[in-house]
Structures are given as C-alpha cells and as structure tokens.
Amino acid sequence: MANRIEIQNLIYDYKSFDTTTRAIDGINLTIDSGCFVAVLGHNGSGKSTLAKLLNAIFLPTSGKILIDGMDTCDESKLLEIRRRVGMVFQNPDNQLVTNVVEDDVAFGPENIGVPPLEIRKRVDDALHTVGMSDYSKHAPHLLSGGQKQRVAIAGVIAMRPRYIVLDEPTAMLDPRGRQEVISTIKALNRDFGITVILITHHMNETIDADRLIVMADGRVIADATPREVFKNVDRLHEVGLSVPDTTDLIYKLRASGLDIPIGALSVEECARSIYDYFIRRDS
Amino acid sequence: MAPIIKTENLRHLYSEGTPFEYVAIDDICFEAEKGEFVGIIGHTGSGKSTFIQHLNGLLKPTAGRVLFGGRDIYESKAFTRDVRFKVGLVFQYPEYQLFEETVYQDIAFGPKNMKLSEEQIDIRVRGAANFVGLDEDLLGKSPFELSGGQKRRVAIAGVMAMQPDVLILDEPTAGLDPEGRESVLANIKRYHDAVNCTVLLVTHSMEEIARSVDRLVVFNRGRIAMNGTPSEIFRRGEELESMGLSVPQISLVARRLKELGLPIDPSVFTVEQVQSALLALRGGAADA
Amino acid sequence: MLKDITLGQYFPGNTVIHKLDPRTKLVITTLYIAVLFIAGNFISYSVVLAFLILSIYLSHIKLRVILRGIKPLIVIIIITGLLNLFYTEGKELVSWWILTITAEGIKRAVLMIMRIIMLIMGTFLLTYTTSPIQLTDGLESLLSPLKKIRMPIHELSMMMSIALRFIPTLIEETDKIMRAQKARGADFETGNILQRAKALLPLLIPLFVSAFRRADELAVAMESRCYHGGEGRTRMKQLIMQSRDWLTFLGGALLLVCIITLNVYGL
C-alpha cells in the first residue's frame, strides 16, 4: 500500500445535547510521506479537530481517512495507526505521564509491547535526537516549556512513527522555547525523513514548510507552497488571517506603485528584492 | 510630576537561607508616570514576573522599597490592602481563575471585595465588560461556557472593574490566535486612552506592543538592561537577540537594507515606518 | 506553606536504597509500618529508629529534607500529642481545670508523636527514593495475584502514578490561583471558620475545573500514544530481584523478630 495519508470527503460534527456543530466540512487531501506540511488557521477553523481525526482520537462523521491504506475506523488497526501517526499537543504539562523524563519517553513503546532492551535503545536515541539526553533523569515539572515539548516529541519518535502531527506545539512557549521546538521539528523532517504536519497560528513557523494548507470554517481554502499562499494577501485578509510582515511590506510597497515581485518570505529575500528594485531604478 | 509608582533598589531572593537560594531581581529602580503605557519585556526567568508582583504587594521585597503615590506600600496594613486595589494585576492565563456562576458575578468579585455599593458595582461591571468588548447577553452566562478568548476578556474585565490607577497585565495575549491577540491589545489600548490610567504590559513578543507603548523596559537576568522609547530599544537589536528576545521581523529587514547600503534607519519597527521610509527614498531617487 | 508539601516528590540518586527493587521497598515499608504499631516501648522504638536512620543515611537524602515533609502535618501531630497527654488515665501528676496530666499520658504522647513522625519519615523515604513509575510497577507486580479475582490492579496503579505526577503541578497551580485571587482582593487569612471556608471557593472551583481539563487532555495524550490498559504492555525497566533485595528482606525479618521478642519479654 502507498505510504501516504488520504483524506476523502471528510466531515466531522461535534454533538452536544441539543446542538450539532460542523467542525470539518468536506475536506479532501493527500499528504505524501516525507514532506513538511504546515496547517494554518484560526481557532475554530477545524485544524485541531483534523489533527485528532488523523490519530483516530475522533472518528469521521462521514468520509474516510486512510493512513498508509488503513482506515481509521478499522478498530483492529487502531494501535498501528496511532503508532504511525504520533501526536504532540499544545500544553506541555498535560501530555507527560510520568515524573521522570526517560520513563515518559518509554511510555509509548511500552504500550505497543516493544522488548525492554529495544525500548532502552529507542529512548536513548530519541532523547539524543531532541537534544535532551542530559535531562533523562529529570522531573518534567522542573523543565522549561520548550524542553517539555521536546520530551513530548521524543516520546512520539520513540514509537518510530512515519507521521508526526503537532497541534500548536509552540502556542504556550516563549521565543526561545519556540525556536528550540521548531528547529527540532525541522530536523526530524530533514534528517530522519519523518512526515511533519505542523498545525499553528504563527505564520513565521510555516515559511519553511514544503506545503501550506490554510483552513477556515472547516474547509481548506488554500493549499500550495507558502510562497504561493502568501501571495494571496487579500484572500487571507478576508478570512481574518494576516501574512508575514515581510510579505505585508512588499504588498504595501506594490500598492504604492513600487514594482517589487511579491513572494519574498524570509528577511533576507525581502531585503534583497527591495534592494534590487532600488538598484534597478538607479541604473 | 511625581511618579505614581516607583521602586527603589528592589531586590528579591527566592528560598532565602536554603541551598536553592537565588536572586530573582536585584537593584530594580523603576518608575512610571500617571497615564504612561509601558511595555516590560524579558525572557522567561528574567525576573519580570517577580518584579510586577511586588508592585501590588503580593511579594514582599527582600530589600528596597515600593512607593505608590510617593508612599511606601508597607507604611500601614490598611494602605497595603488599599494598594491591592489601586494596582490591578492580571496574571498569565487569567481565564483559569474564573470561578463564579455567571460572567457578571465574576467581574464583580473585585469590586465586591472593595465593599462598593450594588449600584457602583453594576456600573463598573458593565463598564469593564464594554471595554473588553463583551456583549451584554454574555453577562448572565456561565464563564465556563465561553470560548478561550472570551474567558480571557472576562478575566481582564474583572481587574479593570476595580478601576485601578495602575493596570498591570502579564502576557495578556499568550496562547491566543492572531485575531484574539490583536483584539485584546486593542481593548487594553482603548481602556488606557479612555481612563488615562498607567498600564504596564509584560510580554516577550515586542512586535505586538511596540506600536502601543510610550516606553519599553527590558529585563535581563533580574536587572533592568534597557529603558527607553521603542526606537531607542530596537536600535540595539543585536543586544536584544543576545538576551534571547526576538526582534521584530521588520526591524531585521530594515537592518539588512542598511547593511546592503540603503539609507534606512534601523530603529524602525512597523511595516508602515519602513514603507514610508522607502517611499521617501524613491521620491528622493526620482528627483535626483 | 504550599511549597513545603513534598509528598510525591522523587529525588533521583544512585544509592543502594534507590537501586533496591521497588517491591522490596514496598514490602519493607509495610513491614516497617507494622513494626511501628507493634512496638510498645522506648527500647523497641529506638531499634526501629536506628533502622530508619540507617536507611536514611544509606539513601543520601538529607535528614532536613525529610523533616521538611513533616511541617504541613505539624498541627495534626501536636493535636494527637495533646489528646494523648491529657486523656490518658493513670497516675495523676498535674491537674488544672479539666486537664490532667498523668505519667502514662506523657509516655503515650511521646510514643504517639514518635510513631506518627517515624511513620511519615518512613513513607517519605520510600517516595523520595522510588520514582512513581517504579512504585507503580512494584505495586502492580505485588498485587498481580489479585488480578485473578478481577481486581483492576493495573488501572489502580496507573491512577496512583498519575496522581503522584500531578501533585507538584497542582500545587504550583494552587499557588498561582491564590495569588491571582488575592490580586482581586480575596482574603484567605481572616474571618471565622465559615467565612474562611467560603473564601476558599474562588480557589477550589478554578482548581477543580483545571484538574478536570488536565485529566481530559492527559487522557487524549495517553490514548494517542497507544495506551490501552495493561494488556500486552512491556516495561523498559524490568523488575529483577538482586542479592541486595534478599539481604534487605533478611534485615527486615530480623527487625520484626527483634521487636516481637522485645514485646514478649516486655522490655
């Protein structure tokens, strides 16, 4: 079976006693193994619901999700799906289960019955990968937010997943913690080929993604490279999202009649394209 | 004019007399005028949270003094209690402290503790709710039914309703999405402009507050490292980065443009500033 | 005051006590508690105390740290002491108003206080030197025969382990909410008992709400990490009895014999 996530005509309704709210309203997506996908959207856009559907925490109201060909509704495949699709959540305090870092990392592999010596090896490798080896015997509540999130990531990669879904992993972190987590995630994708699905509302974290999916009201409203997506400044503003300041600057300069190509995302690209414009003019 | 709030050589030790003892803040001399809007920036562990808790007497200094309106806040017990209400403090993730049955009652908790009359309380609750953009019909609801962003507003309104002379907010936008962040900041700005109180806003992301504040105070390792207008502070971008603070992306663009040779002032921090600087430059180039 | 609650904390280390099998430590602690209740006079208490001090010494945990754990319970200890002091019948020494102190009362009060303090110190030593997950594993393994009669042993021990994990988090949270409410003028320190109890609502309600929220999020996080109960679960750190464990059992047995002998001979 092909190594990819396939989402077909996905609909998900939240039901409380008297009301039904549609959180996901008809999504079709294919996510290939090995890429780095960012999902951007407001609170209530359905992006966190989508994350929980990928891991079979929620099951589709209608439609289908296939993980490497396995249907998330197939109960006999449940553990295998959850092993392949690792999840990291927003609040670092509420996803660590034990008082010792290495025991926490071992929790996942223990659940799927990995032999003890193999767990030991995986735990050490995972902690090394996220740069937390020195903290293996520490208590999680004494770590910083960024360190806790890295432990949570280690706990997931010790299960050797193919996909890792991160649901706003940096929302509660300070700039330094955010930096630590984002560079860890990028390394996972780059060096270990793990498929990363990063759900966030920080635009700057999406810039380096291979693909950016924008969600609003339970639907996908944009799906392309970050460069292409951010070109569409007006469309993003319509759904209440903004664009990176670099794009915003060029967009405004263009509106004032400066002929600078839109699409620059990084500081360097932005400065370069403005500089090039002035050089062109002067010559 | 005398500052409304002032600290003199403030020092705080945690776990004094144990092997875990450490200096959280040291030698902090800070003052703020009536009506000033001050941003307090610092990395986690820089001492900013410890510092603000001294201003309303929640933490007692190990050494140094806190003056409110020129009087030591520990002058008398009654005055210390009075200062609790005059210096309002909104903690990080304040929505986790909501407890009353209705939004109205929760906002009224502070004013009630001030022993105000029912009518007074009513005016204040409705006023505060209005400032943070909460609809009247939400007041009767349970705070636990609201969305995250709405809860945050209720919690902020709960402190605004005490009508403090100094309003301190610790990371009021943490964890909110961009829309939520912007509207909470706009509410605070509107409140500040309307009642002319002193606002101290603590954050680690300066992008959002740079355009609202009159002055920025940067904390680093328990001390005040910088104190000045946003432009003065952002001119020292490299120093800020070395303290683990993120410099606005737009300041980085300006810095890079200057390195490349365009005459741009690197202390700018908003898209509009860079835009108008570049447009002026184009005008100049066209004339030449 | 809240920061003094150290229950559930674990101080990692590499001492003999740390390295003992958690099952050994659980059995010995149970035995130690039993012995404390059997012991009836100062000599037997001294023997038990010597055993406790030796264990603390071997664990490299500072005596001060263990004593700190007693602080929050000091009121209970004093009340127990006073009740025993005044309400034990026997040879009257001093009498004033309704209070009478007897020689037996003094003896019982002292023994009772020693018993409670030693009980606390012993159990704290266990939690300080055993990580909660080890403790849970140990308990689960010891109680596993009960699984045959359908007792949910794995679930119970998992619950215990998580409770221990979240104690520091919730203490921190309590402290935070308390300060936040104080900033809104809440008064936790004055008033009569009824007023004080009422004043606790602004603290307790948010604390409960947050505990439920945490429980909910943790459950989802555990599920997403393939947690599905004890079935088919392996362990990174397997429990294997070493010779030091058998030696410890021998020591424990000696202690028990010693105390029973002392009791029988009424020394």
Side-chain angles (χ1 to χ4, degrees):
Chain A
M1 231 18 237
N3 292 338
R4 59 166 174 255
I5 295 178
E6 281 171 81
I7 301 171
Q8 300 166 352
N9 306 318
L10 182 67
I11 286 180
Y12 185 80
D13 293 334
Y14 275 110
K15 291 192 183 77
S16 55
F17 357 66
D18 46 358
T19 52
T20 305
T21 321
R22 181 144 293 187
I24 301 280
D25 189 11
I27 289 185
N28 287 289
L29 283 174
T30 304
I31 295 169
D32 286 316
S33 179
C35 60
F36 176 6
V37 183
V39 181
L40 189 65
H42 269 303
N43 289 346
S45 62
K47 58 193 196 321
S48 293
T49 309
L50 180 65
K52 289 189 173 122
L53 283 155
L54 290 176
N55 187 267
I57 295 288
F58 295 163
L59 296 176
T61 303
S62 79
K64 235 189 218 181
I65 298 181
L66 300 174
I67 309 289
D68 297 344
M70 295 178 289
D71 192 325
T72 57
C73 290
D74 181 352
E75 209 157 319
S76 67
K77 300 277 167 55
L78 188 67
L79 285 186
E80 184 54 20
I81 288 174
R82 288 190 177 156
R83 185 194 70 77
R84 284 193 202 201
V85 186
M87 294 274 286
V88 175
F89 299 91
Q90 188 186 78
N91 190 333
D93 275 321
N94 299 349
Q95 54 184 319
L96 301 183
V97 186
T98 76
N99 287 38
V100 183
V101 166
E102 60 174 17
D103 289 350
D104 193 84
V105 177
F107 181 75
E110 286 176 344
N111 287 332
I112 50 175
V114 176
L117 284 175
E118 168 73 11
I119 301 182
R120 181 76 256 175
K121 190 180 164 302
R122 287 192 187 189
V123 167
D124 292 341
D125 286 352
L127 283 172
H128 180 75
T129 306
V130 300
M132 289 293 290
S133 297
D134 293 344
Y135 297 87
S136 62
K137 309 272 187 212
H138 280 58
H141 73 272
L142 300 175
L143 302 178
S144 75
Q147 290 173 328
K148 284 183 215 172
Q149 279 306 47
R150 275 148 67 200
V151 172
I153 293 172
V156 167
I157 58 180
M159 295 170 74
R160 303 274 153 93
R162 181 168 284 151
Y163 310 93
I164 169 165
V165 182
L166 304 107
D167 189 2
E168 300 191 22
T170 63
M172 300 180 80
L173 307 182
D174 58 20
R176 198 177 288 171
R178 199 167 281 172
Q179 184 53 44
E180 286 169 15
V181 169
I182 292 298
S183 55
T184 306
I185 296 170
K186 284 182 188 160
L188 285 185
N189 178 252
R190 192 184 56 230
D191 304 338
F192 298 89
I194 298 176
T195 315
V196 168
I197 301 169
L198 173 65
I199 295 173
T200 181
H201 47 228
H202 288 284
M203 290 157 314
N204 295 340
E205 293 173 357
T206 67
I207 290 175
D208 292 325
D210 300 321
R211 178 175 170 194
L212 174 58
I213 295 170
V214 182
M215 288 186 64
D217 298 324
R219 295 204 182 121
V220 171
I221 59 154
D223 179 3
T225 62
R227 196 179 298 275
E228 287 303 315
V229 171
F230 286 126
K231 273 184 188 172
N232 235 325
V233 178
D234 297 322
R235 180 75 182 104
L236 289 170
H237 281 310
E238 262 171 51
V239 293
L241 286 167
S242 46
V243 294
D245 280 350
T246 44
T247 310
D248 193 33
L249 175 64
I250 293 182
Y251 179 74
K252 286 191 167 129
L253 288 172
R254 282 169 66 90
S256 318
L258 272 64
D259 178 29
I260 302 175
I262 198 156
L265 283 177
S266 70
V267 168
E268 182 60 29
E269 281 174 336
C270 173
R272 275 284 165 194
S273 42
I274 293 172
Y275 178 71
D276 289 346
Y277 166 78
F278 279 95
I279 293 300
R280 249 194 351 259
R281 271 186 60 89
D282 289 351
S283 58
Chain B
M1 202 165 73
I4 182 146
I5 194 137
K6 182 175 178 179
T7 66
E8 290 173 347
N9 309 94
L10 209 59
R11 177 180 166 86
H12 191 91
L13 291 179
Y14 276 120
S15 312
E16 209 181 339
T18 75
F20 304 106
E21 178 179 299
Y22 75 95
V23 185
I25 52 171
D26 200 5
D27 200 27
I28 304 287
C29 298
F30 169 90
E31 49 181 67
E33 304 287 334
K34 183 170 165 38
E36 223 184 341
F37 197 135
V38 183
I40 296 178
I41 294 180
H43 193 265
T44 310
S46 61
K48 58 192 188 339
S49 293
T50 305
F51 166 68
I52 54 170
Q53 290 181 52
H54 281 84
L55 302 181
N56 71 345
L58 276 178
L59 286 178
K60 219 172 174 170
T62 310
R65 296 203 299 165
V66 181
L67 304 172
F68 180 84
R71 290 165 67 192
D72 190 324
I73 65 166
Y74 293 103
E75 190 184 275
S76 70
K77 270 209 158 133
F79 189 57
T80 313
R81 181 147 176 86
D82 220 23
V83 167
R84 248 324 121 80
F85 297 116
K86 289 191 160 134
V87 180
L89 178 52
V90 181
F91 276 82
Q92 242 183 72
Y93 297 101
E95 59 272 29
Y96 295 155
Q97 75 210 27
L98 302 177
F99 71 98
E100 281 283 13
E101 272 172 60
T102 65
V103 169
Y104 184 96
Q105 283 172 306
D106 213 290
I107 300 177
F109 182 66
K112 237 185 223 162
N113 286 327
M114 297 168 81
K115 312 261 185 285
L116 297 175
S117 69
E118 287 290 326
E119 300 91 76
Q120 271 295 322
I121 292 177
D122 191 67
I123 294 170
R124 288 187 172 206
V125 170
R126 288 176 200 283
N130 182 36
F131 272 120
V132 296
L134 285 172
D135 286 339
E136 282 271 320
D137 56 313
L138 286 181
L139 293 179
K141 278 201 172 174
S142 158
F144 300 111
E145 284 173 39
L146 308 183
S147 74
Q150 285 172 325
K151 280 186 201 163
R152 178 80 50 98
R153 288 151 202 270
V154 173
I156 294 174
V159 175
M160 283 180 177
M162 300 182 345
Q163 294 186 355
D165 295 315
V166 180
L167 176 65
I168 309 172
L169 304 109
D170 193 357
E171 307 262 4
T173 61
L176 297 180
D177 65 4
E179 216 170 28
R181 284 206 292 269
E182 234 167 76
S183 81
V184 163
L185 282 177
N187 292 152
I188 294 168
K189 180 86 182 135
R190 199 156 63 92
Y191 175 79
H192 169 259
D193 295 345
V195 305
N196 192 34
C197 72
T198 308
V199 173
L200 309 186
L201 205 156
V202 180
T203 180
H204 46 225
S205 89
M206 33 190 125
E207 244 139 338
E208 353 182 279
I209 62 162
R211 58 183 83 205
S212 314
V213 299
D214 304 318
R215 182 156 66 95
L216 284 173
V217 175
V218 181
F219 272 70
N220 191 36
R221 294 166 191 261
R223 288 169 183 270
I224 292 182
M226 298 183 200
N227 179 4
T229 63
S231 323
E232 282 166 9
I233 301 292
F234 291 130
R235 193 163 289 143
R236 300 159 74 179
E238 271 120 357
E239 267 178 85
L240 291 170
E241 280 171 340
S242 73
M243 293 174 193
L245 294 166
S246 65
V247 177
Q249 218 188 6
I250 212 70
S251 302
L252 295 177
V253 172
R255 196 201 294 171
R256 187 71 187 119
L257 284 173
K258 186 163 163 62
E259 279 170 15
L260 287 170
L262 291 186
I264 296 279
D265 177 4
S267 70
V268 292
F269 50 85
T270 67
V271 171
E272 290 74 20
Q273 284 173 334
V274 181
Q275 186 193 4
S276 54
L278 287 170
L279 289 177
L281 200 63
R282 180 193 59 166
D287 292 341
Chain C
M1 154 108 172
L2 283 169
K3 292 202 178 74
D4 295 330
I5 302 175
T6 44
L7 180 71
Q9 255 181 40
Y10 164 57
F11 298 98
N14 212 13
T15 68
V16 181
I17 302 282
H18 282 88
K19 279 193 274 193
L20 279 179
D21 191 288
R23 289 171 294 186
T24 311
K25 283 191 267 191
L26 277 164
V27 170
I28 292 292
T29 308
T30 319
L31 190 120
Y32 166 83
I33 293 170
V35 161
L36 266 183
F37 281 91
I38 300 171
N41 56 47
F42 285 108
I43 299 175
S44 10
Y45 269 104
S46 311
V47 175
V48 186
L49 189 64
F51 179 79
L52 177 67
I53 289 173
L54 177 72
S55 313
I56 294 174
Y57 171 76
L58 288 175
S59 74
H60 289 199
I61 303 254
K62 294 205 176 66
L63 189 62
R64 205 185 45 223
V65 175
I66 298 195
L67 289 174
R68 206 172 57 201
I70 296 175
K71 238 170 94 185
L73 298 164
I74 206 102
V75 180
I76 298 173
I77 296 173
I78 290 173
I79 291 174
T80 318
L82 288 177
L83 286 177
N84 279 290
L85 183 62
F86 294 124
Y87 294 99
T88 307
E89 291 186 10
K91 197 173 131 234
E92 198 174 301
L93 291 179
V94 192
S95 182
W96 175 78
W97 189 41
I98 54 162
L99 305 173
T100 312
I101 295 178
T102 63
E104 284 76 9
I106 294 177
K107 190 182 161 202
R108 265 187 72 173
V110 173
L111 287 181
M112 208 59 193
I113 289 175
M114 275 181 78
R115 182 179 284 172
I116 299 178
I117 291 180
M118 283 162 70
L119 189 75
I120 297 170
M121 286 170 73
T123 38
F124 274 26
L125 186 64
L126 174 71
T127 58
Y128 285 175
T129 59
T130 320
S131 80
I133 207 91
Q134 271 185 307
L135 210 56
T136 315
D137 287 356
L139 204 63
E140 191 179 340
S141 160
L142 282 176
L143 299 179
S144 58
L146 295 178
K147 279 180 190 163
K148 293 216 173 67
I149 56 164
R150 295 187 167 231
M151 288 273 281
I153 299 303
H154 169 78
E155 286 72 10
L156 285 174
S157 49
M158 183 53 89
M159 271 156 62
M160 193 187 88
S161 146
I162 290 171
L164 288 173
R165 143 83 179 85
F166 275 90
I167 285 173
T169 311
L170 289 176
I171 287 175
E172 217 169 90
E173 180 135 33
T174 311
D175 194 45
K176 227 188 93 183
I177 298 172
M178 206 155 167
R179 272 181 289 163
Q181 305 297 29
K182 273 189 192 167
R184 293 206 281 166
D187 182 1
F188 297 108
E189 276 115 28
T190 54
N192 60 34
I193 284 196
L194 202 70
Q195 283 165 327
R196 280 196 196 204
K198 226 183 133 192
L200 281 179
L201 282 184
L203 175 64
L204 294 179
I205 294 174
L207 199 60
F208 273 112
V209 171
S210 135
F212 279 113
R213 183 176 40 85
R214 284 180 192 281
D216 196 39
E217 285 181 23
L218 183 70
V220 171
M222 285 171 71
E223 255 188 75
S224 80
R225 286 167 75 184
C226 295
Y227 181 71
H228 58 288
E231 206 182 317
R233 210 172 124 76
T234 50
R235 289 294 148 81
M236 174 169 73
K237 293 169 182 165
Q238 279 180 304
L239 300 179
I240 299 162
M241 296 293 247
Q242 310 279 344
S243 43
R244 56 172 171 259
D245 293 300
W246 300 117
L247 279 173
T248 312
F249 279 130
L250 194 66
L254 275 176
L255 178 71
L256 185 67
V257 170
C258 187
I259 298 302
I260 292 176
T261 317
L262 282 170
N263 257 15
V264 170
Y265 291 95
L267 281 167

